Amino acid sequence: MEKTPASTDKLSLCYHCGDTLRGERVEHDGKLFCCSGCKVVFEILQQNDLCTYYDLEKNPGRTPSALEANRFSFLDDATIQQQLVQFSDGHTATVTLSLPAVHCSSCIWLLEQLYKLDAGILNSRVDFLKKTVSITYRQDRTSLKSIVILLTSVGYEPELSLDALNKPKESEITRSLYYKIGVAGFCFGNSMLFSFPEYLGVDASEQLLREVFSYLNLLLGIPVATYCSLEYYRSAWGGLRKRVINIDLPIAIGIVLLFGRSAADILTGSGAGFIDSLCGLLFFLLLGRVFQSKTYDRMNFERSYTSYFPIAVTTKRGGVETTVPLSALSRGQRIVVRSNEIVPADAMLLQGNAFIDYSFVTGEAAPVPKVLGEMIYAGGRQTGGAIELEVMKEVSQSYLTQLWNNFRHSARELGQLSELSTTVSKYFTTVVLAVSLGVLAYWLPKDTVTAINAFTGILIVACPCALAIAIPFTLGTTLRVFGRNDFYLKNTAVIELLSKIDTIVFDKTGTITYAKRSSVSFTGTELTSDQRDAVFSIVSGSVHPVSQMIAEHLQGTKSIVDGFTETVGQGITGTVGGRTYRIGAREYVGALAPATPVNETRSYVSEDGRQLGYFSVKNLYRDGLPAMIAELGAGRKLAVVSGDNESERPRLQSMFPQGTDLLFNQTPTDKLEYVRSQQQQGKRVLMVGDGLNDAGALLQSNLGIAVTEDVVHFSPASDAIISSTAFIRLAEFLRFSRLSMRIVIASFVMAFLYNLVGIYFALQGMLTPIMAAILMPASSITIVVFTTVTTNILARRKGLLAWRS
C-alpha cells in the first residue's frame, strides 16, 4: 500500500465509497481509496471473499468513521445489554440495530453476510425501509460490543441513543385497531352468509332456518356493537362532556339504534334485523381508522431530550478512561468529549481547545471557542479535538433538559384538529335529529309501528359512516403520497391544518440554508497554484468548520507543513516551502480594516506578512428557494426568525417579499413568543425549523415542520418531518393539501346523496334488511374507491407520483 498525491486536473473516485479523492490518496491492489478506513473495509471484504459487494452497485460503500474500541465499552454493561437485546436464552441472543447508513442493495447484501465476518453471528436480516438489521448470535462466541465494532468498521455504525433504550415497538392503539378490525371482518363475512335466506326470500316452510340464522346473526352483532364500537362511544361521550358534537356522536347513535332495532326485530320475530349492515359499517369504519392512524413506524414525532444524547459517556479517573452509562453520570466526574461528540451535561472545561457548536440549541452557526475554566452547556457539539471537562450539573438538571421541559409545556392541545369533520357533524346531527323527530311526530298519531320504524330507519340510514370514511381514506392516501416524496406527517389531521395555513415562519440556519454547505469565494491577489496548495495544506490541519469549508473549496494537493499552530478564536499559522502563512481573523493576520461594515464571515490570508486577500464564507441558500418563497408568499404572511446575527439581512430582504419580518439574534424563547404573538392576531401559523432552538416555536405553532438531513436521525418534536432534499417542494405540498380537502368535500356530497335515497325509503317505513344491505355498504365502498383513486390520479398529474407504464 502506498500514498500518492491526487491529480488536480483530473478527479478520481474512491473505489469503496465513491467520494472524490482530494489531497493524498491511498492505493492498494491497484485500486484508489480516499482514506485508510475505506481501504481497511476493502481488505476485510477481500479476505472473506465478499468482493461481490462491489458488483451489485458501483461505489456502494460508506466511509467508516474513526473507530475507537473503547467508545463502545458501555455495551459490556449488563443493564444496557438487557435493554438493547430483544431475546436471550443464555446461549443465543437477538438484537435489532438502527443503521442510518443503509442506502442500496449492496448494503443489504453485505449486512446479510455478516456471519462470514464473525463466526459467532448466526444470521442477519435487513429491513431496508426501517433501516434496521436484526442479528442473531451465539453469546459464547461473540458479544454485542464486538458486533457493533464490526458494523462500524465496515462503515455502518449503529445509531445508539439514550431514547432508543425505551422506544415502544408498536403503538397499543394500532394493535387494538387490528384486533377490532379482525373481529368486525369475521362477523361481517359470516353475518352476510347467515342473511342469505332473507336476501333470497326463502319459503315460509323454512321459518326455523330463518330463525336460527337470525339468532346466530344477533350473537355475531354483540361483539361488534360492544368491543369493536367502544372507541366511538368513548369519543362521543368525551365530546358531549366538553359540549362538542363530533362526528362520532351520530355514528354512536346509529350503531346503538342499528343493533337495538335488530335485536328487537329478531327477539320478537317481526324481522331479520340489520346485523350484516352493522358489521359491514364497523368493518369499513375501522379500516378507515387503521388507514388514518398508520404512520411511519421508524418516525418518532414525540421526541424527548434523551433522543439527542448518547447512551454512555467516557469518564477519566487517575488517568484511566472508562465508559459509563449516561444515567450513572454525576456531578464532579471528569469526562472526555471527542470531536463531533455531544456535551452530555453542563460542565467546566479543564483541558483542550474547545470549539463548541451550539447551533442545535441557539441557532447560531459559528462555533464558539471556550477557554479553560469556562462553562460549557449540555447540547453543544465539540468540533475540535478531544477535551476534558468536569461535570457541574447532572443530566436531569442541565440547561438543555430544562429548556426541553419548558418547551413541552407549550405543546398544543388536540382539540384544534379535524375542524371540518367537527363542523359538518354538528350541523348534520342537528338536521338528522330534527327530521327524524318530525317524522315521528307525523306518524305517531296514525300508526305507531310505522312511526317507530320510520324514526329508527332515518337515524340508521343517516348514520354519517360514509362521511367518517371519506376523511381517513382521502387524507390517508395523501399522507402516503407525501411520504413517497420524503414528507412524513404525524397523522392525517395535519393535512387539514396545512390547507388552512396563512402565516409561515422560517428558521434560517439549516432550514432555508444548507446545513453542511457554504458558499466560499476569494477576494484579493489571485493565488498561484503553489499558494493554493500551501493554504489548502494548512487549513486541512485545522478542525475549525471555516477552515474545513475553505479546504473543501480549494481541493488542492497536500504539502508538508512546518510550525503549524492554531490559536483559539484567532487563526492558524504554518510554513510551507519556506514561506509562512497566517490565516484567520483580520487582527491575527494584520490586515487593514474594511472601509464598510462586513456582512459575512471572512478569513484573511497573508504570506510572509504580506496580505493576499480574504476568503468570504456565506450561507448557501437552498436551490430553488426564491421560486418557492414567491409561491408561498402569495396570499400568506412570511417571516424569518434566526439565532444568527444580521449579516444575512440584505440577502434575505432581496429574496423575501417586502414587509417580511426578519428577526435575528433570537433565543429559543424569542422564537416561541413571536409565534404566539402572531396567533394572538388570529393567524394560523406554520413554523419550519430544524433544531432544538426551534422546538418551542414548533410546539407553540398551529403546525410545526422539522427539516432534517436524515429522517431517521434526531429532529425536534413536530407534526411533520421533511427531508432537506424535499424542503424546496413545500409549496407543492401545501397546494396538494388544499386539493385533498376539496376531494373530501366532493365525497361528502356523494355521501349526502346516498343518505337522501335511504331517507326516502325510511320515511315510508320501507327500509328492509335487503335495502339496508345494499345501500349502506355500497355508499362506503363508493367513497373508498372514489377518494383513493381520485387522490392518486391527481397526485400523478401534479408530479407527486410517477405514472406506471
Side-chain angles (χ1 to χ4, degrees):
M1 186 268 291
E2 60 178 344
K3 292 185 178 180
T4 59
S7 171
T8 55
D9 56 354
K10 182 178 180 181
L11 296 177
S12 301
L13 301 180
C14 174
Y15 181 78
H16 177 69
C17 70
D19 282 352
T20 302
L21 300 181
R22 303 183 180 92
E24 292 183 332
R25 59 189 181 181
V26 179
E27 187 171 351
H28 172 74
D29 197 27
K31 299 174 177 60
L32 299 178
F33 302 91
C34 65
C35 64
S36 58
C38 285
K39 179 191 75 73
V40 169
V41 176
F42 173 78
E43 289 178 332
I44 292 173
L45 298 178
Q46 188 180 48
Q47 291 167 7
N48 290 276
D49 296 324
L50 294 177
C51 283
T52 308
Y53 175 65
Y54 300 102
D55 298 333
L56 300 176
E57 188 169 319
K58 187 178 181 181
N59 310 122
R62 309 291 290 188
T63 303
S65 57
L67 180 61
E68 299 175 66
N70 61 358
R71 284 177 52 207
F72 302 110
S73 297
F74 64 90
L75 293 175
D76 290 329
D77 186 279
T79 303
I80 291 179
Q81 287 186 32
Q82 289 174 3
Q83 292 175 295
L84 288 174
V85 172
Q86 295 168 302
F87 168 81
S88 175
D89 61 4
H91 303 285
T92 304
T94 300
V95 63
T96 298
L97 300 170
S98 174
L99 306 181
V102 173
H103 68 292
C104 67
S105 58
S106 295
C107 299
I108 298 173
W109 182 86
L110 175 60
L111 291 169
E112 293 190 348
Q113 305 292 318
L114 291 177
Y115 66 92
K116 294 183 179 180
L117 304 179
D118 187 331
I121 296 177
L122 299 177
N123 62 72
S124 53
R125 291 291 178 267
V126 177
D127 187 325
F128 182 75
L129 294 179
K130 294 182 180 180
K131 295 193 174 184
T132 61
V133 61
S134 181
I135 300 173
T136 302
Y137 62 96
R138 290 277 302 274
Q139 291 176 289
D140 59 337
R141 303 185 67 178
T142 189
S143 65
L144 180 59
K145 175 183 174 182
S146 298
I147 291 172
V148 170
I149 291 175
L150 172 62
L151 288 169
T152 305
S153 70
V154 294
Y156 297 93
E157 181 173 344
E159 183 182 39
L160 300 172
S161 68
L162 191 63
D163 186 54
L165 296 180
N166 301 310
K167 187 177 292 184
K169 302 302 179 188
E170 184 181 13
S171 168
E172 285 292 335
I173 297 176
T174 302
R175 189 182 301 115
S176 175
L177 275 174
Y178 286 136
Y179 293 154
K180 289 176 181 176
I181 200 172
V183 172
F186 172 81
C187 295
F188 179 35
N190 284 281
S191 64
M192 293 211 40
L193 288 175
F194 293 150
S195 298
F196 263 89
E198 289 297 325
Y199 299 158
L200 302 176
V202 298
D203 190 90
S205 62
E206 301 295 334
Q207 184 64 29
L208 178 61
L209 186 64
R210 297 175 70 174
E211 290 180 359
V212 170
F213 284 167
S214 295
Y215 282 112
L216 288 174
N217 268 343
L218 184 59
L219 290 175
L220 290 171
I222 293 174
V224 173
T226 53
Y227 171 68
C228 297
S229 307
L230 191 59
E231 289 305 317
Y232 294 99
Y233 300 145
R234 287 175 178 170
S235 177
W237 177 244
L240 289 175
R241 291 181 63 183
K242 295 180 180 180
R243 298 183 180 181
V244 174
I245 298 177
N246 56 35
I247 199 166
D248 289 335
L249 177 61
I251 292 176
I253 294 173
I255 293 171
V256 171
L257 285 173
L258 199 56
F259 180 76
R261 179 170 169 181
S262 298
D265 287 349
I266 293 170
L267 293 175
T268 60
S270 58
F274 309 92
I275 296 298
D276 53 336
S277 296
L278 171 65
C279 296
L281 290 177
L282 262 298
F283 176 75
F284 284 112
L285 284 172
L286 293 171
L287 189 65
R289 285 211 167 189
V290 170
F291 201 73
Q292 182 176 14
S293 67
K294 184 64 177 175
T295 54
Y296 299 85
D297 292 335
R298 66 194 178 105
M299 303 291 166
N300 183 10
F301 293 88
E302 299 297 338
R303 303 300 180 117
S304 74
Y305 71 90
T306 58
S307 54
Y308 187 46
F309 282 157
I311 294 175
V313 64
T314 302
T315 62
K316 191 172 184 179
R317 185 175 182 179
V320 178
E321 293 186 5
T322 56
T323 304
V324 300
L326 191 65
S327 58
L329 193 64
S330 60
R331 182 177 178 180
Q333 285 186 294
R334 191 176 184 122
I335 61 174
V336 179
V337 177
R338 295 179 172 81
S339 178
N340 210 37
E341 290 184 350
I342 302 295
V343 178
D346 296 351
M348 181 186 298
L349 181 62
L350 299 179
Q351 183 175 323
N353 295 325
F355 292 90
I356 306 300
D357 177 5
Y358 279 126
S359 61
F360 201 79
V361 180
T362 65
E364 176 63 53
V368 180
K370 295 290 183 179
V371 298
L372 299 182
E374 194 169 355
M375 180 70 78
I376 298 178
Y377 294 100
R381 185 184 296 274
Q382 165 66 347
T383 60
I387 56 175
E388 296 183 14
L389 310 105
E390 181 181 342
V391 176
M392 304 304 293
K393 292 182 181 180
E394 294 182 3
V395 175
S396 60
Q397 303 294 321
S398 69
Y399 168 73
L400 176 65
T401 308
Q402 294 175 10
L403 179 66
W404 189 278
N405 292 335
N406 289 339
F407 286 161
R408 291 196 63 81
H409 295 314
S410 304
R412 69 184 67 84
E413 295 183 1
L414 297 177
Q416 64 176 305
L417 303 180
S418 302
E419 294 181 9
L420 178 62
S421 62
T422 300
T423 303
V424 170
S425 62
K426 180 172 65 176
Y427 292 108
F428 179 85
T429 304
T430 302
V431 170
V432 169
L433 287 175
V435 171
S436 58
L437 289 172
V439 170
L440 178 66
Y442 173 78
W443 279 107
L444 200 55
K446 301 178 181 180
D447 188 338
T448 303
V449 175
T450 302
I452 294 175
N453 287 342
F455 173 73
T456 56
I458 291 173
L459 292 177
I460 289 171
V461 79
C463 172
C465 299
L467 302 183
I469 289 171
I471 293 176
F473 275 94
T474 303
L475 303 189
T477 304
T478 301
L479 184 146
R480 284 156 177 76
V481 168
F482 286 166
R484 293 184 185 181
N485 290 274
D486 294 329
F487 183 34
Y488 305 95
L489 309 186
K490 184 176 181 179
N491 52 47
T492 54
V494 175
I495 301 171
E496 183 177 345
L497 288 174
L498 275 173
S499 68
K500 298 177 180 178
I501 289 299
D502 57 24
T503 302
I504 304 178
V505 180
F506 293 99
D507 171 50
K508 181 176 74 70
T509 306
T511 301
I512 60 176
T513 66
Y514 287 104
K516 299 179 181 179
R517 291 169 54 189
S518 293
S519 172
V520 181
S521 60
F522 183 78
T523 302
T525 305
E526 184 176 356
L527 300 178
T528 65
S529 60
D530 289 341
Q531 289 173 330
R532 286 177 63 91
D533 290 342
V535 173
F536 171 76
S537 301
I538 295 171
V539 295
S540 295
S542 171
V543 295
H544 196 282
V546 173
S547 297
Q548 294 174 1
M549 293 174 189
I550 295 173
E552 180 75 15
H553 170 72
L554 291 174
Q555 297 182 14
T557 301
K558 270 192 177 181
S559 305
I560 297 175
V561 179
D562 297 319
F564 178 88
T565 59
E566 183 165 6
T567 305
V568 177
Q570 293 296 313
I572 50 180
T573 302
T575 301
V576 178
R579 298 183 180 276
T580 300
Y581 296 85
R582 295 173 72 88
I583 306 163
R586 179 179 60 80
E587 297 83 358
Y588 180 78
V589 172
L592 298 175
T596 58
V598 176
N599 290 322
E600 62 189 12
T601 299
R602 289 184 178 180
S603 188
Y604 291 84
V605 182
S606 69
E607 179 188 58
D608 290 335
R610 180 174 62 90
Q611 182 181 347
L612 298 179
Y614 58 85
F615 289 97
S616 300
V617 181
K618 300 178 181 178
N619 285 311
L620 187 61
Y621 290 91
R622 297 189 185 276
D623 297 334
L625 183 63
M628 185 193 78
I629 290 172
E631 183 172 353
L632 290 175
R636 299 186 187 90
K637 179 180 179 180
L638 303 182
V640 177
V641 291
S642 174
D644 269 346
N645 56 45
E646 299 199 19
S647 62
E648 293 292 316
R649 181 181 291 276
R651 295 178 68 187
L652 290 172
Q653 285 176 331
S654 65
M655 198 177 301
F656 280 82
Q658 187 175 4
T660 297
D661 291 340
L662 302 176
L663 307 177
F664 301 92
N665 300 307
Q666 298 293 291
T667 66
T669 302
D670 291 336
K671 294 183 178 184
L672 185 153
E673 291 300 329
Y674 177 80
V675 170
R676 181 177 290 157
S677 69
Q678 296 301 305
Q679 291 173 322
Q680 290 172 349
Q681 299 175 30
K683 303 290 187 181
R684 295 175 181 264
V685 182
L686 166 62
M687 175 68 197
V688 187
D690 73 315
L692 179 60
N693 59 301
D694 304 313
L698 288 167
L699 289 170
Q700 175 63 40
S701 62
N702 298 84
L703 185 64
I705 299 178
V707 181
T708 179
E709 296 295 320
D710 191 331
V711 294
V712 299
H713 275 177
F714 178 88
S715 59
S718 58
D719 300 291
I721 298 173
I722 188 170
S723 169
S724 58
T725 57
F727 168 75
I728 209 66
R729 307 184 70 184
L730 183 60
E732 294 180 52
F733 297 142
L734 265 64
R735 194 186 323 126
F736 194 76
S737 296
R738 292 195 299 270
L739 190 60
S740 298
M741 296 311 298
R742 294 194 186 106
I743 296 174
V744 170
I745 293 172
S747 62
F748 278 9
V749 173
M750 294 177 61
F752 282 126
L753 293 177
Y754 269 108
N755 281 340
L756 288 176
V757 175
I759 289 174
Y760 169 77
F761 290 103
L763 282 172
Q764 303 177 59
M766 298 169 55
L767 186 64
T768 63
I770 182 65
M771 197 166 295
I774 294 173
L775 278 177
M776 300 176 82
S779 65
S780 300
I781 293 171
T782 303
I783 294 299
V784 169
V785 173
F786 171 75
T787 54
T788 52
V789 171
T790 304
T791 305
N792 277 295
I793 289 175
L794 291 177
R796 287 183 170 87
R797 288 183 177 178
K798 299 299 180 181
L800 295 174
L801 285 180
W803 289 98
R804 294 180 180 177
S805 57

